[in-house]
Every structure is written in C-alpha cells, then in structure tokens.
Amino acid sequence: MIESDSNAVAGDYLERLAQETDVRSARRALLASDIDAQGLEALHGRLGGHEPPPDDPAAVSVGARLSLAYSARPLAPPEVLTTDAHGITRLRTAPPLARTPLAPEPWAANPFVRYAQRTRDWIGRGFRRRHKARQESPTPRWQKVGMWRRKVLLLLVVGQSLVAAEYMRSVLPYQGKQALEVAILALFVLLFCWVSAGFWTALMGFFQLLRGRDRYAIDARDVHEDAPIDDTARTALVVPICNEDVARVFAGVRATLESLRDSGQERHFDLFILSDTFDPDLAIAETHAWLSLCRELDAFDRVFYRRRQRRVKRKSGNIDDFCRRWGANYRYMVVMDADSVMSGACLTRLVRLMEAHPKAGIIQSAPRASGRLNLYARMQQFATRVYGPLFTAGLHFWQLGESHYWGHNAIIRLAPFMRHCMLAPLPGKGSLSGEILSHDFVEAALMRRAGWGVWIAYNLDGSYEEMPPNLLDELNRDRRWCHGNLMNFRLFLAKGIHPVHRAVFLTGVMSYISAPLWCLFLILSTALLAVHTLSTPQYFPEPGMMFPVWPQWNPTLAVGLFSATATLLFLPKVLSVILAISQGAKDFGGGARLFASMVLESLFSMLLAPVRMLFHTRFVLTALMGRAIQWRSPSRDNSDTPWSDAVRHHGMQTLIGAVWAAGVYYMEPTFLWWLAPIVGALMLSIPVSVFSSRVSLGRWCQHARLFRIPEETHPPRVLRRMVRHLKRMRRQQDAAPNFVQVVVDPVANALGCALATSRHGLSSALRRHRDEQVTDVASENPERIGASTRLRFLDDPVLLSMLHHRVWRSADAHPDWREFGTPRQVSWRVPG
C-alpha cells in the first residue's frame, strides 16, 4: 500500500498513465519527482500485481506499463505479447523454432586429392553404379543444347581474338619479335578475349529479345498469372540487413507486402527481417519500425524480425541462421536486399515458375534499377535499363540452367539449398581465406553441382533495386565485390563444380583482374614508346644476321584495330537503343533523347574507365597482399560527394595523369593524342566525381527527359507506394527513442525489455556480474558509453530493466541519465 509522499507520486503517476491522452505529461511528472527507492518498488509492484524481486523490481511492471500506455488499442495480440517462465512480459518477434541440423561440406580444391578420391570410388564397381545412374536419368535436352552453344561461343571468341592478335602484331614495330612486344601482345589477346565475350553475349541477347522466345529457357510467360498455388508451397521472403537506412528498408518491405495483399496470394508468404545491425540506435529504430508495420497491417503472424547477437559469415550466415531455425517450414525462399522492392505479381509468378519446373533450384529475376536522383546514379540506371537486358538475355542464352545467381531478388528451393549450399570457410590463412564474402556465385555453383538448375527469368517484370548514388559509393561496393571474387577463384578447381560455374568464377575475377591487365598494357605501351624514342634502334637483334630488321610503324592498321575494338565496345549500346526504339521509345523520353542519352552516357563511361582502372588495380593488389577490408553496408541515400572527399580519393590519380601526360609529351608529342582519353580522364577525375554526384544536375536532366527510364515515366504502383511510405517512415524514424530514453523512459523501457531476446539467467554468479555491469554503466555519463555496451544492454531484458530501476533510485547514478532521458516533444510511441 502506498503511504509515503514518494508513494503518492507513484500513485499519481499510475493514475495519469492510465489516461492515454496524457501519457507524456505523466512521464514528465515522474521525471521531475523526487521519488525514492521504496516508492519506485511499490510502483512496480502495484503495476505488476505482486511483490517485485529485490534485484530487478522493474521487470514485473513491463506488461502493465505497456497495457496502460496502449490502453485504447493493445500493443499486440495476446499470442504475440506473452509471459515467459519467469513471469516477465515478452513480445514475440519470430515464430516458434523448427530446427534443422545443417553442416557445410569441407572444400576439396586440390585436383590431386580429388583424383585419388575418384580412383578409390572406381574400386568396387563404383564406375558401373554411376553408369547405371546416368542411364536411369538421361541428360535433359537443354543441357546438350547449352553445351553446343558454349562451344560456338568459345569458337567465336577465340577466332576473333586470333584475328585481332595478328593485326596487333602487324602494328608493333618489330612485329612481336621483342620481349616487350611479346608481353604487350599477350596482354592484348587476354583483354580482347574479354571484350569479345561481352560483345557476343550482347549480340546474342539482341537477337534473343528481338525474336522474343527461347524454347529451351524458363520463360515467365509459360505460367498463367492466375494459376493456383498449392497451399503447401509456403514461401519465406527474407531481408538480411546490417546497419541500413531503416526507413528505406521498411518502406520497401511495406510496399512489397501491400502489393502481395493486392494479388490475393498473401497467405502463401511470410516475411523475415534478418538483422545483423550493431548500431544501437538503428537497432532500436528497427524494432519500432517492425512494430509499426505489424500494427498498421495487422501482420504479426506474417512479418517477423530477428536480430542476431552472434554475427558470423555476414549475409550468408544470416541466411544460414534462418534456414537452421525456420527453413523446414517453407518450400521456397525469396532473398531480398535492403533496397529491393518486388511486386506481388512478380513474387507469385516466381513461385508458379518453381512449381512448374520441379528441377529448378534457383530462378533469378532481372532487377531493374530505379529511384535515384543523382546525375551519376541516373546515368547508371539508364545504362542498366537500356543495355542490361541485352547482356542478361545473352548470358542466359549461353548458360541456360547453369546461370548466375546475384544474391537477391531470386527464389530458391529451400530443401536442396539447405542440404547442399551451406558454405564452409576457405582453408588457410590470409585475406583470401576464411568466411566466403561473395556467397551468391558459390551457392549457385553448389546448387548446380547437386543436380538442380539455376535459371534467369530475364523477361519477368516487377523486380527492382537501387544503384549507388555516386562514384565513390560504387567503388566502395566494388572493393567488396573484388575481394569476394578473388576469394571465389580459389574454388575454380573445387570438386564437382560444373564447367560453366568454373567459367563464372573466372569471369567474376576477370571483371576485376582486367583492370591491372589494362593498366599494365598501357604501362608497357608507354615503355615501348620510351625504348624506341630514347634509345638507338636494334637493326640486328640477333647475332649473325645478314640483313637488318627495320622497325615499322603502321598507323593505318592501328586506326583500324582501334576502330574494330571500339565497335565491339559500343555496338551493343547502339543495338540496345535500336531495340528500345523498335519497342517504343516514348517511355525513355523519345527516340532523339534516348539516342542523346546513350551518347552522353558513353562519353561519361569513357571518362570513368581510367578512374575505375586505377581503383580496381589497387583493390586487386591490396587483396593479394593480404590487406583485409571492412564490409560496410552501401549508402541508401541520394548523397552528394564533397570536394574534400573527391580530392582525398582522386588526388593521386590526378597527379598520375599529369605526370604521365608530361612524360609522353616529352618523348613523343604526337603519341599524346592516342593517350589523351586516358590521362585526360585521370586529370579530370576530381570535378567529374563531384559534379556527377549532384542531385541538382540529376533533377535538371530529369526535367530535360535525359537518362529517362520507363520506371520513371510511368512508375509502377509498388514503387509509388514505396516512395509514399518512405516519407512517412523517415518522420517516424526521426521520432524514435534513443538508447538513453529506452533506459530512462518507463514506456520506452518497457518496450525495450519486451523486445530483448537474451535468456534470463538466475545463477548467483550471473546476477552478481549483471549487478556490476549495471553499477558501472549507471554511474557513467551516457554519452560516453560505447556502442557494444549499449547493444549488450538492449539484448538483455534483465540488464535493461535493472539499469532503468538503478538510474531512478540510486544516488550514484549519473545525473545526465534523467536529463537526456526526458521524452521528446514529438511522441515516439508506435503508431496505429
């Protein structure tokens, strides 16, 4: 019974808290009061309905605080807001566990060990058993067709490269007979093969899109959009996130869920937000955004949230954790990125495609980029939207069911994925060993190794993503991808990998190794110029020669070779524009603006190519030298690049370009014209990086209908919803409580305790350890508490409720706790 003055304050607080319209003033009254420890314990006991434990009195009142604060409408349904075995209120954020034991298979990349194992397998009639298995399951027709297609591609690339090599040999002064010329010729052949492969891929994609159908491919039009979905075909939408823009993530998630609801197939899908966030304020914002989403859509039984405390293997480990806990409940899984948005029609069609093709393990959609306003991002959106379909369709033509998986916006058959695609760390030491970073290519290779097809549904609409807003953010992403692809190449000789996926590992690493190869080619070409300019020609390079060898320069052949290479690079872009015009260019701003956008984007790409070359060269070298990288989430905002950042990142490139140009001009001024696109781009890298990041220039191009894409001319409904929700969720995120308010404010603390996931421990040693932690933190200035400590308290409901009680009752508590814990003028309570 409350008898003291402080107890009277507690009673007054209880009465005022019961009036929902005056919750904020009730909290302020408690903050301003001089209530003592006895009064606080009485308050918690009265709220909880029984005598509170002496070490954690605030825990018993968690449910009552939430019930009173949300008296008009309960915070969550009774089956979600539950009580644990210790009588403490818990808010269930995830479904009951359905554990499945999962274990990755160790890598066998040594070919000699594999050969010995294969020899042992053949002993004891193993060969006959395999031969019989092949006869019982004949090779599908598409596999044979794909094999012949790839043979044709190899013939085209090699033949074209040999012809180009012969032309290049004729261009060189000594026709490739000197060591320096041999090195240049070898690098040229490698780089030309890379260019040729891209050209033939885009050319075949052009004919594929022009024809409209490939009878051997999985086609989104093969299934009817109204075909029923089996009730047992449950699909989990998983969204792995880590320190992401909370408003952007949940705006995309909500737009996707509402689109699914419009499709009438929502019952077949559950959504999981899988968080690895270690920023405490973002973690708080995520839980409040999840609560808002579930309350507003009445989706507590469909939308779940889990934040891992043990963050291993990054994104792939997060997905592994989901599979281990709940994968057995679902037939399929759709992986989405933090910036992904997918329409309900796209998701349901992916499920129907899986149902129609029971041997498909992964079906990758072709996400379209949209939503950015920076000039740089708008040009990249335009490029991926106009040129991308040619390369995607061409890639699928050559690969068929042995295609790429890009890690997001794809549907996966969970049973084989859980059995065959768990990733073991790469053996050894150094930066190229340990946890696999770029998991998607490896998972596709393992799925195909297990006998399941990996397909690209390149003509499926309704799948969207966002591009990095500026050049520096894109390069930051490229550094992660470069490191991951270099690690993946260690699996080139791994046991059982299909030849196509070995080629995927090769092309993945070649997309970054080509930069240092190109850089070396340019350095050797400059060195060749220096040798012939600064030294006496060798007319008799070998002893005993009767006749001199005259150096020959063939500028006509050089111009022809340059023109042919440029044709291979730019013809796919021209074909893309032709295809877009033939299908209707109005959504791209009209034919004239479409062509102008292509020309401007091509010029801009030429400016950026040398800049990317030097950055990628540095990324490759630092990875090979053993330097680890920090795997950070990319920017999700339309951010401009400051001049200071541009100077810091591009200053050395500008200096290299200037020194290079001066040296070439000194040796041979006429050769500078050939090198001008390279050195000129490097010297302009700072202003190009800054001005291309400008949102104002992007908006000007938007008004001028340059770099326009159909998703901008006629935005799909799911994207319009995302933009609308994003504005409102940014306001909600700004009003969310911080860590200090979660500790001090009674209602915020109750929410935090209900959402925390650590188990209660009742041992005396653990209680003593918790009391020591609470004492240390309560006496510390809250601004000086580290992120790891804050996160530990957010994870542990006992620590959080003990700290709440301690900062109120203890005279040793730092005064800034109660000062900074005063609720904001704008209420942060969960809406709905």
Side-chain angles (χ1 to χ4, degrees):
M1 184 172 180
I2 299 177
E3 297 176 354
S4 66
D5 293 339
S6 58
N7 291 347
V9 174
D12 177 64
Y13 168 76
L14 181 63
E15 293 175 3
R16 297 175 69 179
L17 187 62
Q19 303 174 12
E20 185 178 358
T21 58
D22 205 20
V23 173
R24 193 164 61 239
S25 62
R27 279 177 270 171
R28 289 202 184 94
L30 186 61
L31 283 164
S33 67
D34 294 323
I35 190 169
D36 59 13
Q38 182 183 359
L40 277 176
E41 292 178 6
L43 169 63
H44 291 302
R46 186 171 175 183
L47 287 171
H50 59 85
E51 190 71 21
D55 58 339
D56 189 17
V60 299
S61 66
V62 167
R65 279 183 270 163
L66 294 176
S67 178
L68 290 170
Y70 295 92
S71 57
R73 179 188 171 191
L75 178 66
E79 63 272 14
V80 177
L81 199 63
T82 60
T83 304
D84 65 11
H86 304 283
I88 308 301
T89 299
R90 287 284 169 268
L91 190 60
R92 183 172 61 84
T93 64
L97 296 180
R99 289 191 179 274
T100 303
L102 302 176
E105 179 182 344
W107 297 108
N110 191 317
F112 300 103
V113 174
R114 286 169 39 214
Y115 178 78
Q117 292 174 344
R118 187 181 303 170
T119 303
R120 288 197 300 268
D121 290 342
W122 282 348
I123 299 175
R125 301 167 64 184
F127 177 79
R128 294 182 182 178
R129 286 196 298 270
R130 284 194 301 276
H131 181 68
K132 182 179 179 181
R134 290 193 194 101
Q135 290 180 331
E136 292 175 352
S137 55
T139 303
R141 176 66 177 167
W142 67 262
Q143 291 187 29
K144 298 178 181 178
V145 172
M147 180 184 64
W148 281 106
R149 288 181 179 182
R150 291 186 287 270
K151 288 180 178 179
V152 172
L153 175 62
L154 184 62
L155 182 63
L156 291 171
V157 171
V158 171
Q160 193 175 45
S161 300
L162 290 177
V163 173
E166 178 61 25
Y167 269 87
M168 184 64 183
R169 188 189 65 81
S170 303
V171 170
L172 296 172
Y174 291 98
Q175 288 73 55
K177 295 179 181 179
Q178 291 185 340
L180 189 57
E181 293 185 348
V182 171
I184 291 174
L185 191 60
L187 290 171
F188 175 80
V189 171
L190 285 174
L191 293 169
F192 196 90
C193 283
W194 179 244
V195 172
S196 178
F199 168 77
W200 289 112
T201 298
L203 188 64
M204 192 50 63
F206 172 75
F207 290 117
Q208 188 73 7
L209 293 174
L210 203 61
R211 186 175 59 175
R213 182 174 291 273
D214 184 352
R215 59 176 176 165
Y216 298 107
I218 282 183
D219 196 316
R221 295 165 295 187
D222 291 341
V223 294
H224 196 275
E225 60 181 9
D226 295 326
I229 298 176
D230 188 355
D231 287 338
T232 61
R234 303 278 299 149
T235 301
L237 310 180
V238 299
V239 188
I241 59 175
C242 180
N243 292 339
E244 297 284 357
D245 180 350
V246 177
R248 173 61 186 85
V249 171
F250 281 87
V253 163
R254 176 159 184 171
T256 300
L257 289 173
E258 290 178 347
S259 183
L260 258 178
R261 183 168 291 182
D262 292 344
S263 72
Q265 303 295 333
E266 182 190 17
R267 68 183 185 279
H268 298 291
F269 296 84
D270 290 340
L271 187 138
F272 289 79
I273 308 292
L274 307 176
S275 175
D276 272 350
T277 295
F278 51 88
D279 182 300
D281 287 333
L282 287 179
I284 295 169
E286 287 174 4
T287 54
H288 280 72
W290 171 79
L291 273 172
S292 300
L293 180 67
C294 291
R295 283 168 61 83
E296 292 172 6
L297 297 184
D298 192 19
F300 281 100
D301 59 338
R302 299 255 179 236
V303 180
F304 306 105
Y305 172 85
R306 165 169 164 76
R307 182 167 55 83
R308 291 197 301 170
Q309 297 179 31
R310 186 169 177 264
R311 299 179 295 274
V312 295
K313 295 174 59 178
R314 298 180 176 85
K315 180 179 176 180
S316 65
N318 211 346
I319 294 175
D320 291 354
D321 181 75
F322 161 79
C323 293
R324 188 175 292 109
R325 288 170 171 266
W326 301 291
N329 295 336
Y330 302 93
R331 185 180 297 178
Y332 307 117
M333 169 179 69
V334 175
V335 181
M336 300 174 65
D337 259 0
D339 59 356
S340 296
V341 178
M342 301 183 74
S343 68
C346 176
L347 290 169
T348 54
R349 183 154 289 187
L350 282 173
V351 173
R352 292 184 177 106
L353 279 172
M354 274 292 196
E355 292 284 276
H357 299 86
K359 288 302 291 179
I362 300 175
I363 299 180
Q364 172 71 61
S365 69
R368 295 172 177 172
S370 65
R372 290 297 191 194
L373 299 176
N374 312 68
L375 176 61
Y376 180 86
R378 283 180 53 78
M379 284 190 282
Q380 300 306 305
Q381 287 174 179
F382 173 83
T384 57
R385 185 63 176 87
V386 179
Y387 319 142
L390 262 71
F391 288 94
T392 305
L395 198 67
H396 193 256
F397 177 84
W398 299 119
Q399 293 179 333
L400 291 179
E402 285 129 3
S403 290
H404 287 67
Y405 163 49
W406 296 316
H408 60 94
N409 293 42
I411 189 167
I412 299 173
R413 196 177 297 271
L414 264 174
F417 182 86
M418 293 166 62
R419 183 175 180 182
H420 303 289
C421 298
M422 300 295 104
L423 302 182
L426 291 175
K429 297 181 179 180
S431 63
L432 299 184
S433 60
E435 297 174 354
I436 292 176
L437 301 181
S438 295
H439 60 95
D440 38 18
F441 284 8
V442 182
E443 289 164 347
L446 295 179
M447 184 70 82
R448 184 65 193 91
R449 184 176 74 173
W452 299 85
V454 181
W455 300 86
I456 300 177
Y458 61 87
N459 58 357
L460 179 62
D461 296 329
S463 178
Y464 307 99
E465 62 175 348
E466 290 181 351
M467 303 295 294
N470 53 61
L471 175 61
L472 293 182
D473 280 331
E474 183 186 81
L475 290 170
N476 184 51
R477 182 194 67 179
D478 283 352
R479 185 177 185 182
R480 302 193 309 270
W481 287 2
C482 173
H483 199 109
N485 278 282
L486 289 173
M487 291 181 67
N488 289 351
F489 191 66
R490 291 188 57 192
L491 301 175
F492 184 76
L493 298 176
K495 176 183 177 182
I497 300 297
H498 193 279
V500 174
H501 283 105
R502 296 190 199 277
V504 168
F505 291 152
L506 179 61
T507 56
V509 74
M510 188 64 188
S511 60
Y512 294 98
I513 291 291
S514 60
L517 292 179
W518 183 28
C519 185
L520 183 59
F521 175 80
L522 293 174
I523 292 173
L524 292 181
S525 300
T526 307
L528 182 64
L529 173 68
V531 167
H532 288 279
T533 303
L534 305 177
S535 64
T536 304
Q538 296 182 6
Y539 298 107
F540 299 93
E542 296 180 8
M545 293 183 63
M546 297 294 295
F547 301 99
V549 176
W550 303 97
Q552 299 177 5
W553 298 93
N554 297 291
T556 303
L557 289 177
V559 171
L561 186 60
F562 175 81
S563 302
T565 306
T567 299
L568 297 185
L569 290 171
F570 293 106
L571 182 59
K573 296 187 177 185
V574 176
L575 293 177
S576 300
V577 171
I578 293 174
L579 185 65
I581 292 175
S582 68
Q583 296 175 349
K586 185 178 180 180
D587 290 346
F588 293 94
R593 286 183 173 83
L594 174 60
F595 183 79
S597 299
M598 185 268 291
V599 172
L600 292 173
E601 188 279 329
S602 300
L603 293 174
F604 184 73
S605 297
M606 292 172 60
L607 280 175
L608 290 186
V611 177
R612 289 195 178 106
M613 175 192 70
L614 289 188
F615 270 105
H616 289 180
T617 300
R618 179 162 62 90
F619 297 160
V620 171
L621 294 178
T622 53
L624 295 178
M625 288 188 297
R627 291 184 59 182
I629 64 168
Q630 293 184 349
W631 200 267
R632 296 175 180 173
S633 299
S635 173
R636 309 292 183 189
D637 197 10
N638 294 304
S639 53
D640 292 356
T641 299
W643 282 98
S644 57
D645 287 353
V647 171
R648 185 171 67 254
H649 288 91
H650 299 291
M652 182 57 66
Q653 294 180 343
T654 303
L655 181 62
I656 290 173
V659 172
W660 198 349
V664 170
Y665 183 81
Y666 171 77
M667 291 183 294
E668 180 58 56
T670 57
F671 189 77
L672 188 59
W673 291 105
W674 292 91
L675 204 61
I678 307 297
V679 295
L682 293 177
M683 288 189 289
L684 292 173
S685 58
I686 292 176
V688 167
S689 181
V690 170
F691 287 116
S692 66
S693 72
R694 293 288 189 254
V695 173
S696 57
L697 292 177
R699 290 190 182 276
W700 183 88
C701 290
Q702 184 181 33
H703 294 316
R705 292 192 294 169
L706 292 172
F707 312 114
R708 185 171 285 262
I709 57 176
E711 287 72 23
E712 186 177 58
T713 304
H714 300 291
R717 187 179 184 186
V718 68
L719 292 183
R720 296 199 306 270
R721 278 175 164 164
M722 187 274 293
V723 173
R724 185 172 66 251
H725 294 321
L726 181 59
K727 295 177 181 178
R728 183 172 56 85
M729 289 183 176
R730 288 213 187 280
R731 293 193 295 269
Q732 290 182 12
Q733 184 178 348
D734 291 340
N738 56 31
F739 173 76
V740 181
Q741 290 171 330
V742 169
V743 171
V744 178
D745 188 85
V747 179
N749 178 260
L751 268 177
C753 292
L755 288 165
T757 55
S758 292
R759 300 171 181 171
H760 287 282
L762 302 179
S763 67
S764 58
L766 183 58
R767 285 177 174 174
R768 209 164 37 247
H769 180 60
R770 278 174 167 153
D771 188 70
E772 293 172 357
Q773 293 182 77
V774 170
T775 301
D776 292 341
V777 171
S779 60
E780 182 63 74
N781 187 325
E783 290 187 331
R784 297 180 181 176
I785 299 174
S788 59
T789 302
R790 295 181 182 219
L791 204 64
R792 184 168 66 252
F793 274 74
L794 289 175
D795 288 335
D796 192 330
V798 179
L799 282 176
L800 197 58
S801 60
M802 288 177 66
L803 183 59
H804 172 73
H805 186 66
R806 188 71 58 88
V807 298
W808 278 104
R809 75 166 178 81
S810 175
D812 296 330
H814 198 284
D816 284 351
W817 279 106
R818 290 174 64 173
E819 179 181 348
F820 294 156
T822 304
R824 305 179 188 183
Q825 293 298 321
V826 179
S827 175
W828 48 259
R829 288 181 59 237
V830 177

